[in-house]
C-alpha cells in the first residue's frame, strides 16, 4: 500500500506531480477562454464581493496566507486570514458582500467547521476548499472546490497543501478575470506556469539526495529558522511546522524582513537558517537580510532560482530550484522543505507517519 516507499509521507511527497495534475485537470482554459472553475456563484456575485475571510488551521492556514497574497494581487479584493479557533470566538465583523473561505484537507476540523458556521450565521457566503468529497465541510458550505490530492494518510500534510495552493491560484485568477483586474499577460504567464508545474515538481524529486545530505549534517540541531518573503513567507512557516511536528526539533518561520526585530538575536554558528530566495521582486531585500544573518555566523541553507549565484559566497549550501513564475514558487519551494523534515525525522528515529500527540483530523477543540 506504500507502493515501495518506506512511509506514507514519503509516498505522498512523491505523488505531488500527479496530485497537482489531477487537481488542475479540466480547470485550465484553452487560450482565451475563461477559467473553467465549477462554482455555483454567478459572475455578478463574484463582482459584488467586498472582502474575503479565510479561516483554517495548521498547514491549511499557511495555504490561506498564500491565498491572500494571490487573491489580493490578482483581484484586488481585500482578504483577511485567521486561525479558525480565533475567528469563531471573536465575533467577526461580516459586512455585505463577504465571502468566507474555509480551507480544510479533511473537511472535519472542528474549529474550521465552527468558524464557517459562525460566518454563515452572520450573513457571509461560504466556500470550502477541501480534499474529501462528502465531508462535513463540503456539506456545510454553499460551494466547494475540491483538491484532488487523493487520500492523505501521513499525519503531516504534504500533497493536500500543494494542491490547496493550486486551487487558490485558480480561484484568484477567476476572481481577477471576472472583476476585470487581471492583466492578460499575467494571466497567460500564470496559466502557462500552472501547466508546466507537474513537470517541474517531477524534477524537484531529484533533489532528494542533496536534501538527505543537509539532513545528515543538521539532524542534531536544537533549532531551525526558516525565512522567506512575499508568497514564500508562508512557506517558511510551513517548513518550520513540518520540521516541528515530525522531528520534534524546535523551528520558527519568519518573514525575512522581520528578522532584525528580534529573531536575529538567536543567530549563531549553531543555527541553521533555511532561506527561500526565488528570483522575484523580493530577492534583493531577502539577500540583504541573509547577508546580515551570515555576518552573525548563521549557517545558511538556501533555495534559489537556477543560476542565481548571489548567495554562493555566504551560504553553507545552495539548492537550485527550476525557474517558474514567482507566484507559483510557493508550490515548488515547499517540496524540499517537506523532504528535509522527512529525512531529519527518519534519521532521528521518529515515527514519521504517526508523530506523537498528533491526530490526522482534529474533530475536537
Ligand atoms: C500539519 C497538519 C495540520 C493540519 C490541520 C488542519 O501537517 O496536517 O496542521 O493542516 O490540522 O487540518 P485540515 O486541513 O484537515 O482542516
Amino acid at each position: 500500500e506504500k507502493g515501495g516507499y518506506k512511509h506514507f509521507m514519503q509516498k505522498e511527497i512523491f505523488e505531488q506531480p500527479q496530485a497537482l495534475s489531477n487537481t488542475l485537470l479540466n480547470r485550465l482554459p484553452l487560450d482565451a477562454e475563461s477559467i473553467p472553475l465549477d462554482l455555483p456563484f454567478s459572475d455578478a456575485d463574484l463582482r459584488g464581493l467586498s472582502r474575503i475571510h479565510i479561516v483554517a488551521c495548521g498547514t491549511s492556514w499557511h495555504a490561506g496566507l498564500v491565498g491572500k497574497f494571490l487573491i489580493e494581487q490578482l483581484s484586488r479584493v481585500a482578504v483577511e486570514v485567521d486561525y479558525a479557533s480565533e475567528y469563531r470566538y471573536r465575533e467577526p465583523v461580516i459586512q455585505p458582500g463577504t465571502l468566507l473561505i474555509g480551507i480544510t484537507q479533511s473537511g472535519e476540523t472542528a474549529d474550521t467547521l465552527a468558524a464557517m458556521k459562525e460566518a454563515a450565521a452572520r450573513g457571509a457566503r461560504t466556500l470550502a476548499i477541501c480534499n474529501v468529497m462528502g465531508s462535513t465541510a463540503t456539506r456545510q458550505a454553499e460551494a466547494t472546490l475540491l483538491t484532488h490530492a487523493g487520500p492523505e494518510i501521513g499525519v503531516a500534510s504534504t500533497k493536500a497543501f500543494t494542491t490547496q495552493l493550486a486551487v487558490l491560484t485558480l480561484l484568484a485568477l477567476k476572481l481577477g478575470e471576472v472583476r476585470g483586474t487581471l492583466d492578460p499577460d499575467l494571466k497567460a504567464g500564470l496559466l502557462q506556469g500552472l501547466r508546466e508545474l507537474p513537470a517541474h515538481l517531477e524534477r524537484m524529486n531529484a533533489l532528494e539526495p542533496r536534501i538527505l545530505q543537509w539532513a545528515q549534517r543538521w539532524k542534531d540541531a536544537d533549532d531551525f529558522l526558516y525565512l522567506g518573503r512575499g508568497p514564500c513567507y508562508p512557506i517558511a512557516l510551513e517548513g518550520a511546522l513540518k520540521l516541528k511536528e515530525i522531528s520534534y526539533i524546535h523551528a520558527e518561520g519568519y518573514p525575512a524582513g522581520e528578522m532584525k526585530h528580534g529573531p536575529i538575536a538567536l543567530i549563531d554558528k549553531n543555527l541553521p537558517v533555511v532561506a527561500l530566495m526565488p528570483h522575484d521582486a523580493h530577492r534583493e531585500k531577502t539577500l540583504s537580510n541573509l547577508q546580515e544573518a551570515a555576518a552573525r555566523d548563521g549557517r545558511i541553507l538556501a533555495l534559489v532560482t537556477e543560476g542565481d549565484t548571489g548567495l554562493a559566497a555566504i551560504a553553507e549550501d545552495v539548492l537550485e530550484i527550476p525557474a517558474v513564475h514567482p507566484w507559483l514558487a510557493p508550490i515548488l519551494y515547499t517540496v524540499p522543505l517537506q523532504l528535509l523534515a522527512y529525512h531529519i525525522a527518519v534519521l532521528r528515529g521518529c515515527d514519521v507517519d504517526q508523530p506523537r500527540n498528533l491526530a490526522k483530523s482534529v474533530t475536537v477543540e
Side-chain angles (χ1 to χ4, degrees):
E1 58 189 9
K2 289 183 200 148
Y5 292 99
K6 271 174 66 189
H7 300 96
F8 282 111
M9 182 180 177
Q10 189 186 27
K11 171 172 179 270
E12 289 161 5
I13 291 172
F14 281 87
E15 277 172 356
Q16 288 175 113
Q18 189 60 49
L20 249 291
S21 299
N22 293 346
T23 298
L24 295 172
L25 189 71
N26 299 329
R27 285 169 165 171
L28 293 174
L30 302 166
D31 299 329
E33 281 176 18
S34 65
I35 316 268
L37 257 198
D38 193 15
L39 280 174
F41 303 123
S42 67
D43 286 0
D45 286 341
L46 297 181
R47 273 193 287 271
L49 292 180
S50 63
R51 68 206 65 230
I52 291 175
H53 291 177
I54 297 180
V55 295
C57 305
T59 287
S60 295
W61 180 76
H62 298 153
L65 294 178
V66 178
K68 171 186 166 77
F69 181 93
L70 293 167
I71 293 169
E72 289 189 342
Q73 294 280 346
L74 296 175
S75 77
R76 311 311 301 159
V77 183
V79 182
E80 256 186 63
V81 187
D82 210 341
Y83 290 112
S85 57
E86 288 295 315
Y87 187 90
R88 63 182 291 194
Y89 293 120
R90 71 173 168 82
E91 303 190 21
V93 178
I94 307 278
Q95 277 152 328
T98 300
L99 173 68
L100 185 288
I101 304 177
I103 307 178
T104 168
Q105 182 278 134
S106 62
E108 304 296 346
T109 300
D111 280 321
T112 306
L113 296 174
M116 291 170 71
K117 216 176 238 174
E118 175 70 21
R122 291 172 185 267
R125 313 289 306 263
T126 54
L127 166 68
I129 295 181
C130 188
N131 194 41
V132 181
M133 198 185 330
S135 61
T136 309
T138 66
R139 283 182 277 116
Q140 195 178 298
E142 252 177 278
T144 297
L145 286 173
L146 285 174
T147 48
H148 297 289
E152 194 181 63
I153 315 281
V155 163
S157 187
T158 52
K159 60 180 181 169
F161 176 68
T162 43
T163 53
Q164 284 166 350
L165 299 184
V167 165
L168 285 160
T169 310
L170 291 169
L171 178 64
L173 283 163
K174 177 81 188 173
L175 288 170
E177 182 181 87
V178 172
R179 298 169 64 93
T181 52
L182 185 57
D183 174 78
D185 289 342
L186 184 54
K187 175 180 169 186
L190 281 166
L191 289 174
Q192 186 53 26
L194 283 171
R195 282 188 201 99
E196 291 167 359
L197 255 188
H200 283 313
L201 280 168
E202 217 51 88
R203 290 178 61 202
M204 302 298 293
N205 292 344
L207 298 177
E208 193 177 28
R210 289 279 304 285
I211 302 274
L212 183 57
Q213 286 172 2
W214 286 17
Q216 280 157 343
R217 189 139 25 109
W218 293 104
K219 68 179 170 33
D220 296 318
D222 292 325
D223 303 276
F224 270 74
L225 183 61
Y226 289 74
L227 299 175
R229 274 181 185 257
C232 278
Y233 148 55
I235 305 309
L237 300 181
E238 173 61 6
L241 179 62
K242 284 289 90 96
L243 187 69
K244 272 185 271 207
E245 65 180 337
I246 60 170
S247 76
Y248 318 139
I249 296 176
H250 172 253
E252 290 200 57
Y254 259 95
E258 225 0 70
M259 197 183 66
K260 61 167 77 65
H261 299 283
I264 197 166
L266 293 169
I267 293 181
D268 64 15
K269 65 179 185 345
N270 300 315
L271 185 73
V273 178
V274 180
L276 308 176
M277 195 182 79
H279 207 302
D280 62 12
H282 309 277
R283 178 186 175 278
E284 306 310 313
K285 301 278 180 198
T286 306
L287 182 59
S288 93
N289 298 137
L290 295 173
Q291 282 159 345
E292 289 162 18
R296 285 154 187 83
D297 295 332
R299 313 291 285 270
I300 295 168
L301 305 175
L303 273 56
V304 304
T305 301
E306 251 165 9
D308 188 340
T309 55
L311 286 170
I314 59 167
E316 180 101 7
D317 209 345
V318 178
L319 212 57
E320 297 192 17
I321 309 292
V324 284
H325 192 289
W327 294 352
L328 301 176
I331 299 178
L332 277 192
Y333 283 63
T334 296
V335 182
L337 305 190
Q338 295 168 339
L339 286 169
L340 180 62
Y342 170 78
H343 282 296
I344 290 180
V346 170
L347 289 168
R348 288 165 67 96
C350 301
D351 185 348
V352 174
D353 285 333
Q354 288 289 333
R356 67 186 185 202
N357 309 339
L358 291 174
K360 182 67 188 162
S361 93
V362 184
T363 53
V364 293
E365 270 190 66

